[in-house]
């Protein structure tokens, strides 16, 4: 009798937790994010590497819009957060890793590397892709556990966000596919550094380095007029050369917080900077003006 009553209580508790209502539009945009990631995997398998990179970029746009739509309609929910993370695993975890794997398989020449055993290099590439996917999944699961509904808590991220990590990989691949015939030396360097870069991005994703939320910190509130000019120059750069602009934006963002973290943990650099500032503060005004 006790076991039957316990089962009934458990069934009633499950029924109370059953999901009844969801927000349609943000959820559809989130699903679009996952579909774009799946499309990137499909076109990668067909050898259309640049198109796959652009599909991941579309997934990033959908990822930015779904949260914004949910907050504008004041309908943020745990369901939306979980669905967003599941789609992010596809678009910013599996898709970039699979794209990198296929690009390396089709472009790496083992004779250049001097390896007679191709299986060693192939295993290393596979391990880097697996490490990237695992770190992306861990990063998203940790975000779900530590996430707070308050908007003020979303001014920064702990660890490199998965869209930014995916952006570094796909921007380099798009640049490589666009300029591989013109910039042959640079294209070869990109191919050789991709596996090591994926490992570095995997470490940054699971690290505790704090990265800024670009939209919330720099685009929501009033900013100095000089920042507006900088945004215009950035847009001009994007229009002039989209591929190079994508590489610059994602790589600078991924490296910026890591460089700051490294700077504050190296006493030599801090003491040198303080000495340099103190030395210049003692100089005459005429020298400072130079």
């Amino acid at each position: 009798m006790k076991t039957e009553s316990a089962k009934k209580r458990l069934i009633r508790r499950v029924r109370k937790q059953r999901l009844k209502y969801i927000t349609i539009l943000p959820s559809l945009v989130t699903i679009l994010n996952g579909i774009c990631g799946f499309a990137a995997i499909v076109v990668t398998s067909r050898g259309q590497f640049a198109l796959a990179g652009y599909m991941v970029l579309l997934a990033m746009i959908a990822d930015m819009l779904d949260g914004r739509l949910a907050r504008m309609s004041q309908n943020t929910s745990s369901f939306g957060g979980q669905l967003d993370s599941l789609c992010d695993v596809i678009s910013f975890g599996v898709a970039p890793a699979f794209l990198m794997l296929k690009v390396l398989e089709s472009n790496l020449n083992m004779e250049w590397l001097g390896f007679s055993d191709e299986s060693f290099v192939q295993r290393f590439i596979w391990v880097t892709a697996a490490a990237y996917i695992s770190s992306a999944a861990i990063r998203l699961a940790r975000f779900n556990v530590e996430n707070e509904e308050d908007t003020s808590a979303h001014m920064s991220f702990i660890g490199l966000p998965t869209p930014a990590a995916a952006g570094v990989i796909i921007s380099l691949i798009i640049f490589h596919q666009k300029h591989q015939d013109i910039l042959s030396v640079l294209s070869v360097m990109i191919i050789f550094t991709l596996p090591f870069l994926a490992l570095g991005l995997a470490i940054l994703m699971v690290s505790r380095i704090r990265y800024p939320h670009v939209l919330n910190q720099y685009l929501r509130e009033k900013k100095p007029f000089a920042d507006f000019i900088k945004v215009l120059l950035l847009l001009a750069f994007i229009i002039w050369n989209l591929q190079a602009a994508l590489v610059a934006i994602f790589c600078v963002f991924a490296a910026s917080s890591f460089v700051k973290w490294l700077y504050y943990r190296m006493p030599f650099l801090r003491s040198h900077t303080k000495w340099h500032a103190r030395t210049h503060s003692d100089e005459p005004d005429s020298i400072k003006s130079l």
Side-chain angles (χ1 to χ4, degrees):
M1 294 295 293
K2 291 183 179 180
T3 57
E4 291 181 0
S5 59
K7 287 181 180 179
K8 290 180 180 179
R9 286 196 300 269
L10 179 60
I11 292 173
R12 284 197 297 268
R13 194 179 302 123
V14 170
R15 286 177 178 174
K16 288 181 181 178
Q17 295 176 353
R18 184 176 295 171
L19 184 65
K20 294 183 179 180
Y21 302 101
I22 64 170
T23 51
I24 300 297
L25 185 58
S27 299
L28 286 176
V29 177
T30 303
I31 292 295
L32 178 62
N33 168 13
I35 292 174
C36 289
F38 175 71
I41 296 172
V42 172
V43 297
T44 298
S45 63
R46 297 173 180 173
Q48 298 172 305
F49 302 140
L51 180 59
Y54 287 120
M55 295 305 299
V56 176
L57 285 177
L58 287 178
M60 291 181 192
I61 296 173
D63 185 56
M64 288 188 295
L65 288 177
D66 60 359
R68 186 66 54 186
L69 289 171
R71 283 186 287 273
M72 286 175 60
S73 60
Q74 297 181 348
N75 286 316
T76 57
S77 64
S78 177
F79 170 79
Q82 299 294 335
L83 181 64
D84 182 72
S85 293
L86 290 173
C87 292
D88 285 355
V89 168
I90 299 172
S91 299
F92 311 130
V94 178
F98 185 67
L99 177 58
M100 179 193 71
L101 192 68
K102 288 301 181 181
V103 169
L104 291 174
E105 286 179 354
S106 62
N107 287 275
L108 269 182
N109 191 334
M110 301 304 167
E111 295 179 358
W112 296 350
L113 299 174
F115 283 104
S116 58
D117 185 10
E118 295 185 6
S119 62
F120 173 79
V121 179
Q122 292 172 351
R123 286 197 301 270
F124 174 72
I125 294 172
W126 190 92
V127 167
T128 58
Y132 178 88
I133 295 173
S134 301
S135 298
I138 293 170
R139 166 73 176 79
L140 292 165
R142 186 182 69 186
F143 176 80
N144 285 346
V145 172
E146 299 177 351
N147 185 35
E148 298 179 9
E149 295 294 336
D150 188 9
T151 307
S152 61
H154 292 174
M155 301 303 290
S156 61
F157 299 102
I158 297 177
L160 179 65
T162 52
V168 174
I169 293 178
I170 62 105
S171 63
L172 287 171
I173 291 175
I174 291 174
F175 184 87
H176 171 267
Q177 294 297 306
K178 180 70 175 180
H179 302 286
Q180 60 180 339
D181 296 330
I182 304 173
L183 306 172
S184 58
V185 177
L186 185 58
S187 299
V188 171
M189 289 177 60
I190 290 174
I191 291 299
F192 285 163
T193 56
L194 268 179
F196 303 99
L197 192 60
L199 284 177
L201 293 170
I203 295 171
L204 288 177
M205 280 191 287
V206 297
S207 70
R208 285 286 174 179
I209 299 175
R210 192 171 290 276
Y211 281 84
H213 193 303
V214 176
L215 292 179
N216 289 346
Q217 283 199 21
Y218 302 114
L219 297 181
R220 287 184 61 190
E221 300 176 353
K222 292 183 179 181
K223 298 295 178 183
F225 184 74
D227 291 350
F228 176 68
I229 300 300
K230 292 177 183 178
V231 173
L232 287 179
L233 292 175
L234 180 61
L235 290 176
F237 183 28
I238 293 173
I239 294 172
W240 175 63
N241 193 325
L242 175 61
Q243 294 78 23
L246 290 174
V247 172
I249 291 170
F250 286 114
C251 290
V252 168
F253 179 80
S256 59
S257 292
F258 172 71
V259 171
K260 291 179 182 178
W261 175 86
L262 198 63
Y263 169 77
Y264 285 112
R265 277 158 180 77
M266 295 184 69
F268 171 76
L269 288 178
R270 292 205 307 274
S271 61
H272 176 73
T273 304
K274 292 178 181 178
W275 174 83
H276 187 271
R278 189 165 54 250
T279 303
H280 283 277
S281 64
D282 296 335
E283 292 175 349
D285 292 340
S286 59
I287 297 178
K288 290 180 184 179
S289 62
L290 297 176

